[in-house]
Amino acid sequence: MSKDALIFYSEFDDPAAWKKTLTAELPDLDFHTDPGAVDPAAVHYALAWKPPKGFFARFPNLKLVTNLGAGVDSLVGRDDLPDVPISRLSDTGMVSLMSSYVLFSVIRYARDIYIFERAQRRGEWKYVHPRALSDIKVGVLGLGELGAPAAQALARTGFDVRGWSRSLKDIPGVRCSNGMEALDAFLRSTEILVILLPLTPETRGLIDARRLSLLPEGAKLINASRGAVVDESALIAALQTGHIAEATLDVFTVEPLPKGHVFWGMENVLITPHLASITVPEAAAREVAESIRRVRSGLAPLHQVDPRRGY
Ligand code: NDP
């Protein structure tokens, strides 16, 4: 008979690696991947990425659902979510992957690398006088577990960084503002926009035609959060007129980005296939185990999500 059991579900993540790392942390944890092979009453924890509808209903004694990733939009929007604490993954490995993606993408624009990539394809020696990084205004939308360290990394690199979130933050080297009333001014003063907002009812389509038009002529946009935070048709139009000169897109409303999509043919768009940051079990298992230990002792898990807020 199973005792304190965890059910794992993911079509993308490696259950063997998770079992190995998680049971190394919690040797008494009964780790299962087959819902049919475990006493449903013994399942207290679910570690899952996009499980099928009704998945949670068969486990009446769940105490914790952990989303097998940082973005919880596909989880909190469900109508079959049990009324138990929901947590998400976050670990230093994910943070450094995201910060490196953001740094790379911003530097590619700030140091004119995209211009040299194209000049090289034409066999052209094209000198562009570099700008001082301290003159380049970078704005980070979303200052959460991934956004705040990315903004800090940009500031440490020497950029003029501003950040925007729901509640006001205090991040060394980053000019912070918050709330909808501050968003227009934030966008007007941002040359390179980095989007690290979760997808929620409030942020869906937030970066629409009007807000894109507030960015200075020739601005660059980097979206590493969720495609639907940006109105993609408005972005395409802005990229076609050149108002938005360049975009780096890791995420899209429809993924994989369909063959023949207009983004594929745009020279001023760099496409990466949703991998700005990924979860490595070795790094994340410690956090998941700690959440389970906390729930066992009657405490809240780490990285708890508020399903009503959406993130
Ligand atoms: P967090 O939930 O830790 O932080 C979200 C941030 O957005 C917070 O600063 C929050 O403000 C702010 N925010 C949320 N809603 C609003 C709003 N309506 N107005 C203003 N600010 C708002 O998220 P993470 O930093 O961990 O991750 C961000 C997103 O990145 C994830 O939700 C996920 O979608 C995406 N992601 C993408 C990956 C990829 O590979 N491309 C990998 C991992 C994540 P406040 O702090 O005040 O609450």
Side-chain angles (χ1 to χ4, degrees):
M1 171 77 66
S2 314
K3 287 222 174 69
D4 200 27
L6 175 144
I7 188 76
F8 175 97
Y9 183 93
S10 173
E11 288 178 13
F12 301 96
D13 301 270
D14 176 9
W18 272 99
K19 181 173 183 176
K20 182 165 168 248
T21 50
L22 207 47
T23 53
E25 288 282 336
L26 297 169
D28 55 342
L29 187 72
D30 195 11
F31 185 103
H32 286 266
T33 53
D34 179 1
V38 58
D39 171 10
V43 174
H44 297 147
Y45 322 105
L47 179 58
W49 179 250
K50 298 188 180 176
K53 200 170 164 52
F55 178 81
F56 301 111
R58 69 182 98 180
F59 308 112
N61 297 324
L62 276 176
K63 296 178 190 166
L64 172 67
V65 171
T66 302
N67 183 60
L68 209 40
V72 293
D73 43 292
S74 63
L75 186 68
V76 296
R78 297 169 67 115
D79 56 11
D80 65 342
L81 205 54
D83 185 18
V84 300
I86 311 287
S87 75
R88 48 157 284 191
L89 297 190
S90 181
D91 61 75
T92 53
M94 291 186 88
V95 168
S96 50
L97 279 175
M98 183 58 85
S99 291
S100 68
Y101 184 93
V102 169
L103 270 179
F104 158 77
S105 305
V106 169
I107 289 169
R108 180 169 169 268
Y109 295 136
R111 295 304 321 272
D112 305 307
I113 303 301
Y114 66 107
I115 295 174
F116 307 133
E117 288 165 358
R118 286 165 212 165
Q120 181 172 350
R121 284 199 285 274
R122 295 191 302 271
E124 187 184 332
W125 178 276
K126 184 175 172 65
Y127 183 87
V128 180
H129 199 67
R131 287 174 70 195
L133 299 194
S134 57
D135 285 345
I136 300 177
K137 300 178 181 66
V138 183
V140 181
L141 283 177
L143 298 172
E145 304 211 15
L146 299 174
Q152 236 180 319
L154 289 163
R156 275 197 301 266
T157 306
F159 291 103
D160 178 3
V161 184
R162 63 229 54 235
W164 181 82
S165 53
R166 195 145 81 152
S167 55
L168 191 59
K169 302 284 185 263
D170 182 9
I171 302 171
V174 179
R175 232 177 294 169
C176 295
S177 62
N178 68 304
M180 291 307 291
E181 58 287 355
L183 183 55
D184 286 6
F186 169 94
L187 292 170
R188 283 196 189 95
S189 69
T190 289
E191 291 173 77
I192 303 179
L193 179 67
V194 178
I195 302 173
L196 279 173
L197 288 169
L199 179 60
T200 70
E202 282 176 32
T203 64
R204 183 177 291 276
L206 182 75
I207 303 305
D208 57 9
R210 187 189 75 80
R211 294 200 172 98
L212 287 170
S213 77
L214 297 176
L215 290 163
E217 181 77 22
K220 281 94 178 174
L221 180 149
I222 296 155
N223 188 5
S225 65
R226 287 291 182 268
V229 173
V230 178
D231 176 341
E232 283 181 346
S233 306
L235 176 60
I236 289 164
L239 283 162
Q240 282 166 340
T241 63
H243 181 74
I244 304 296
E246 300 280 328
T248 298
L249 305 175
D250 187 52
V251 288
F252 302 88
T253 303
V254 178
E255 294 179 7
L257 185 65
K259 276 198 174 16
H261 191 286
V262 60
F263 279 142
W264 286 118
M266 300 184 88
E267 203 194 23
N268 54 348
V269 176
L270 176 64
I271 292 169
T272 55
H274 197 149
L275 41 58
S277 178
I278 58 151
T279 305
V280 180
E282 287 69 20
R286 206 168 304 127
E287 306 272 313
V288 176
E290 180 57 21
S291 283
I292 290 174
R293 279 188 212 104
R294 283 169 172 245
V295 169
R296 281 175 174 172
S297 337
L299 300 171
L302 299 174
H303 316 300
Q304 189 163 357
V305 166
D306 179 351
R308 283 159 310 173
R309 202 179 56 168
Y311 67 99

